[in-house]
Amino acid sequence: MDRCVVLVDAGYLLGAAASLLAGEPSRSRILVDHAAVVSGLRERAELETGQPLLRIYWFDGAPDRVPQPEHRRLRVMPRVTVRLGALTRTDGRWAQKGVDAAMHAELSELARNRACSDIVLVTGDGDLLPGMMSAKEHGVAVHLWAVQAADGDYNQSEDLVAEADERRVLDRQWITAAIRARDFGVNCAPSGPRTEIRPEIAAILSAPLPESDAGAPQETSRPAKNGAAPEREPEPEEPAAPGGKGARPTPKDLADLGRIHAAAPSHPAHPAPSATLRWSSDKGWTDRPGSDLPDTSGLPTLAQLTSAEQRWADREADITAVSGDPYEVGQVFARRWIARLPDTGQLQQLSTHYPRVPHRIDGELLRYAARFGLLAHKDDQIDEHDRYAIRAGFWREVDARTVSEHAPAGD
């Protein structure tokens, strides 16, 4: 059959790209435009083999083989099939299990059934050597692609290179067309048109994540269900300044920030926040003494505001258009909730409750995020950093809308 097939070892492709662009193989160090990667692979495969593409197989690992956000996006793209192996953690390091075996089986099966004339392998693992030899014996031309190695390193098995019919290198120019190093200068940087952000949100969005959990003070309370905030604050050994290096503003810091801004003129749309905060948990509201925040029990949930037709459209958009990035998930949820509010005064009511998301809405927000695989593998809870990013995205949308509603008419 005169067609070509591409088999991609995502661990190799993205790990090697991270080494090239960020200096270390951690995939968390890069940002990937998966649609651009797929488009680039298809275009180059058809050009170099001279055959139309049958399919791209994307092999990757995932905890318990549960599709992660990137896998959900990839598997609905045309001509893309996702195959998942297990992702296990041993001695503090993640390792893929079953990915090589799945690639070997697919490679051999395609060749045996004469499903294609050319197979492109994007991998560096020598364990695929028997599969490559088997494919060649069935009359299939095998093309081996490598990612340009960082600092002159060699990132492919020499036996694999020697056995391939053709070999090409995906150089830095090709890689940077779809992948770039992540900028850790600002955490959860908002996208889209710039709007005015009130000082408290600017502080929490610009605060860097802790560099390491090593030596960090342990929380004295257990996280609540559904990834909600803990019932008690952690007790650090030494208080850190809001937004300081290696620290993130805590609710107490934000309360202090509110007292500072209370003495200065504030934006008419954003009165200075109360120095007393409310926490949400699985047990409902936990009030701090002297709380003067408005009651939000009457605020509707997104489910109450959503019709059956909208629910179907939301699900379709989640599958095809939402990547599952925690910050983006919070934005999407807030955008839908705000657009369906019958009374804009309810948005102002919510805004004054910053920085805590009302309990009922917060639980719904975290359950929505869980659909995208944003659950920690160990305890089925959303990771602390992801919860932070989800809520930051939520408040970013709320803040942008309240600012725009109170902007002068001529702006």
Side-chain angles (χ1 to χ4, degrees):
M1 187 69 70
D2 294 334
R3 297 178 296 192
C4 68
V5 170
V6 181
L7 305 183
V8 181
D9 179 350
Y12 166 76
L13 173 62
L14 301 182
S19 294
L20 178 64
L21 302 181
E24 59 182 84
S26 173
R27 287 160 62 168
S28 63
R29 302 285 299 179
I30 55 175
L31 295 172
V32 183
D33 182 343
H34 290 89
V37 170
V38 168
S39 176
L41 289 171
R42 177 172 186 168
E43 180 180 346
R44 182 153 183 169
E46 291 181 336
L47 177 65
E48 295 198 1
T49 65
Q51 306 294 345
L53 178 76
L54 170 62
R55 190 172 298 117
I56 294 175
Y57 288 90
W58 187 274
F59 296 86
D60 203 0
D64 294 331
R65 291 184 169 86
V66 175
Q68 300 300 293
E70 62 189 82
H71 305 138
R72 299 177 75 256
R73 290 290 300 275
L74 283 162
R75 66 185 183 181
V76 297
M77 293 181 183
R79 305 279 179 155
V80 177
T81 295
V82 175
R83 297 280 190 258
L84 294 179
L87 192 63
T88 60
R89 191 173 181 87
T90 305
D91 296 330
R93 300 183 63 181
W94 290 101
Q96 295 183 159
K97 299 292 184 182
V99 173
D100 295 339
M103 289 189 71
H104 181 282
E106 199 71 57
L107 175 60
S108 300
E109 194 70 13
L110 288 167
R112 185 181 303 113
N113 293 325
R114 299 187 182 278
C116 56
S117 60
D118 297 77
I119 292 179
V120 175
L121 285 176
V122 186
T123 186
D125 198 329
D127 290 345
L128 285 176
L129 182 61
M132 178 185 286
M133 296 172 64
S134 174
K136 291 175 64 178
E137 291 172 358
H138 284 88
V140 174
V142 180
H143 306 252
L144 181 65
W145 289 0
V147 175
Q148 178 181 336
D151 301 326
D153 291 338
Y154 206 74
N155 58 17
Q156 279 186 315
S157 163
E158 293 189 26
D159 292 335
L160 209 61
V161 173
E163 191 66 29
D165 293 308
E166 301 281 350
R167 182 174 183 264
R168 296 289 184 270
V169 175
L170 303 176
D171 59 17
R172 181 184 291 269
Q173 181 179 358
W174 190 93
I175 293 295
T176 53
I179 303 172
R180 62 184 176 87
R182 186 186 297 271
D183 181 8
F184 285 93
V186 177
N187 180 47
C188 299
S191 58
R194 295 185 62 185
T195 57
E196 179 183 351
I197 305 177
R198 59 191 182 194
E200 311 95 285
I201 287 186
I204 198 170
L205 291 181
S206 63
L209 291 174
E211 296 178 358
S212 171
D213 292 335
Q218 299 295 319
E219 292 189 5
T220 57
S221 61
R222 184 176 181 180
K225 295 180 180 179
N226 298 324
E231 295 181 28
R232 289 200 295 142
E233 296 182 42
E235 298 179 1
E237 296 177 0
E238 295 182 3
K245 183 177 180 181
R248 179 187 304 142
T250 66
K252 180 178 181 300
D253 295 330
L254 294 173
D256 294 338
L257 197 62
R259 286 193 289 269
I260 294 172
H261 288 285
S266 60
H267 192 286
H270 304 302
S274 171
T276 303
L277 299 177
R278 248 180 181 183
W279 293 73
S280 67
S281 71
D282 59 328
K283 296 181 180 179
W285 287 113
T286 302
D287 289 324
R288 300 286 172 159
S291 174
D292 56 355
L293 291 173
D295 180 22
T296 57
S297 59
L299 288 177
T301 62
L302 180 60
Q304 292 172 331
L305 298 171
T306 302
S307 66
E309 292 80 6
Q310 288 173 325
R311 188 174 298 109
W312 180 89
D314 289 349
R315 192 64 174 172
E316 181 73 10
D318 290 343
I319 294 173
T320 59
V322 182
S323 70
D325 174 78
Y327 187 84
E328 180 190 9
V329 166
Q331 287 184 301
V332 170
F333 182 94
R335 200 174 296 134
R336 290 174 182 169
W337 188 81
I338 293 170
R340 296 167 192 172
L341 275 178
D343 180 7
T344 56
Q346 293 175 315
L347 180 61
Q348 289 299 317
Q349 183 183 3
L350 173 68
S351 180
T352 58
H353 206 75
Y354 174 86
R356 308 311 301 176
V357 182
H359 173 62
R360 292 166 66 240
I361 297 175
D362 188 54
E364 188 182 36
L365 170 61
L366 296 175
R367 287 192 296 273
Y368 171 67
R371 298 181 190 174
F372 296 90
L374 295 174
L375 292 177
H377 175 52
K378 186 175 181 180
D379 54 8
D380 289 336
Q381 289 185 342
I382 296 178
D383 178 79
E384 177 190 1
H385 293 178
D386 286 346
R387 281 184 274 134
Y388 167 78
I390 291 165
R391 289 162 175 153
F394 177 89
W395 281 117
R396 178 65 179 81
E397 284 297 311
V398 172
D399 191 63
R401 181 62 63 90
T402 51
V403 168
S404 63
E405 287 185 355
H406 288 80
D411 290 356

